[in-house]
Amino acid sequence: MNVARKQLNTIKIFHAKLLDTLKRLQNDLANNYNQDIERLKFEQESLKAQVEAELAKLKKQKIQTGNDIEIEVKSYIDNVKKEDTSTVKTIENDKCSDNIDVKKNNQTFKTEKKQKKNNPAVPAKTSITTPVDFGRLDLRVAKILSASKHPNADALYVETIDVGEEKPRNVVSGLVKFVPLEAMSNRMVVLLCNLKPSKIRGVLSEAMVMCASSPENVEILEPPPGSVPGDYINVDGYTRSPDKVLKVFEEIAQDLKTDENFQATYKGIPWTVADKGAVLAKSLKNIKIK
């Protein structure tokens, strides 16, 4: 009697695994119907085979189980068949229902797409155009830490410049004819920081020192006293929103110049550092800035 009950419990454990597998597959069915159904059939057949093997052991041992065990075994087997049939049918119904929903959604999408294509009243997508103005320049106060002659060009300097970042930038400038080497180091400047880095005669340049410039003379622009590396250069009326890589500098530069008071301006409005003052040229007025 005890052996029979033990084997019946083993059969129940196998069936519980089968039901757990069926429920898990039912929950995951939306991901891949065909693979789940095939896996379900395989696992169902495997577990049923184990149940039948256990029942066969009971029969071969010819154990006197008594009417209560025989009835319990027969009732359990009937329930197994009903649950298996019900679960598989539920999964197949879910598959059909989901397939119908997918087809309906696809048809709705195609209909809406066709209506938009044939309906001239549907507005086209519009792109936002950023104004080409001073706000797109990433101008900052910087400090030249050191400078030296370019190894491959007599008219160029190579500077190491602190712009308030984690590490200094390397900058190449054509200032040899206008600024002596001893006047290059340890001075404050204004740096245009969002130009695309490029090699100039084999040396990488990561920014541009801003200067008042004429064919006869060039002067490095000077930030107001108290400025520190990393301070932003602003112009009233223009929101600072610099491009990651600036491609419109030449267009903006047409409106960059010094005024009668030697101030650097954009369309006549001075460049300033907040609460510190205006950016100036030493002696050049009404001169282009570049």
Side-chain angles (χ1 to χ4, degrees):
M1 179 76 71
N2 291 335
V3 173
R5 288 190 180 279
K6 184 177 180 180
Q7 289 183 315
L8 180 58
N9 288 336
T10 300
I11 293 170
K12 288 181 178 181
I13 291 172
F14 285 138
H15 182 244
K17 290 181 179 180
L18 175 61
L19 290 181
D20 181 66
T21 300
L22 293 174
K23 290 178 181 178
R24 175 168 50 81
L25 292 174
Q26 184 178 6
N27 291 334
D28 296 338
L29 188 58
N31 295 330
N32 195 322
Y33 294 119
N34 293 331
Q35 289 183 8
D36 285 341
I37 289 297
E38 291 303 320
R39 188 166 71 250
L40 167 62
K41 289 179 180 179
F42 175 79
E43 293 188 15
Q44 184 180 17
E45 291 301 324
S46 176
L47 290 170
K48 280 186 177 180
Q50 295 180 56
V51 171
E52 290 173 358
E54 292 296 329
L55 290 174
K57 287 181 182 179
L58 281 174
K59 185 175 181 180
K60 286 181 181 180
Q61 290 173 359
K62 297 181 180 180
I63 297 173
Q64 185 61 40
T65 61
N67 290 336
D68 56 337
I69 296 298
E70 291 177 357
I71 292 172
E72 185 176 355
V73 171
K74 184 177 184 303
S75 175
Y76 182 74
I77 292 173
D78 290 341
N79 288 335
V80 167
K81 291 180 179 179
K82 288 180 181 179
E83 290 175 359
D84 288 348
T85 302
S86 174
T87 304
V88 173
K89 186 176 293 184
T90 299
I91 290 177
E92 291 178 344
N93 288 340
D94 287 346
K95 177 182 176 181
C96 293
S97 176
D98 288 345
N99 281 337
I100 290 172
D101 289 340
V102 169
K103 289 179 180 179
K104 286 182 177 179
N105 289 337
N106 286 339
Q107 185 62 38
T108 301
F109 174 76
K110 289 178 180 178
T111 301
E112 291 177 350
K113 186 176 180 181
K114 185 176 181 180
Q115 288 175 346
K116 289 181 178 179
K117 183 177 180 180
N118 297 329
N119 185 2
V122 176
K125 290 184 178 180
T126 56
S127 59
I128 299 174
T129 302
T130 304
V132 179
D133 61 30
F134 189 87
R136 295 173 69 168
L137 305 180
D138 186 6
L139 287 169
R140 294 182 240 167
V141 173
K143 183 177 182 179
I144 299 178
L145 302 177
S146 64
S148 61
K149 288 286 191 68
H150 193 295
N152 303 316
D154 293 338
L156 302 177
Y157 286 132
V158 178
E159 304 106 39
T160 300
I161 301 181
D162 176 12
V163 69
E165 297 172 329
E166 184 177 351
K167 63 179 183 178
R169 295 199 186 198
N170 201 63
V171 179
V172 176
S173 304
L175 296 172
V176 171
K177 294 180 180 180
F178 306 101
V179 183
L181 180 59
E182 58 271 19
M184 288 292 296
S185 299
N186 197 33
R187 67 177 297 168
M188 304 300 289
V189 297
V190 173
L191 205 64
L192 180 58
C193 298
N194 59 338
L195 293 176
K196 182 179 179 181
S198 61
K199 285 190 175 182
I200 301 177
R201 299 293 294 273
V203 176
L204 182 66
S205 183
E206 301 174 289
M208 182 170 71
V209 175
M210 302 302 294
C211 301
S213 179
S214 70
E216 298 78 24
N217 201 0
V218 174
E219 290 181 352
I220 296 174
L221 295 179
E222 300 177 356
S227 299
V228 297
D231 282 348
Y232 293 145
I233 307 299
N234 304 298
V235 168
D236 287 345
Y238 295 93
T239 301
R240 178 182 167 81
S241 181
D243 296 352
K244 185 174 182 180
V245 177
L246 184 65
K247 298 180 180 180
V248 291
F249 175 71
E250 294 302 326
E251 189 173 348
I252 299 171
Q254 295 176 15
D255 296 305
L256 302 178
K257 60 182 295 187
T258 59
D259 63 11
E260 287 289 333
N261 299 313
F262 310 106
Q263 296 179 122
T265 69
Y266 174 71
K267 294 187 176 181
I269 305 173
W271 298 11
T272 60
V273 176
D275 301 323
K276 294 174 183 177
V279 175
L280 301 172
K282 186 176 181 180
S283 64
L284 296 179
K285 59 182 179 180
N286 300 321
I287 294 295
K288 290 285 186 179
I289 294 173
K290 60 181 181 178

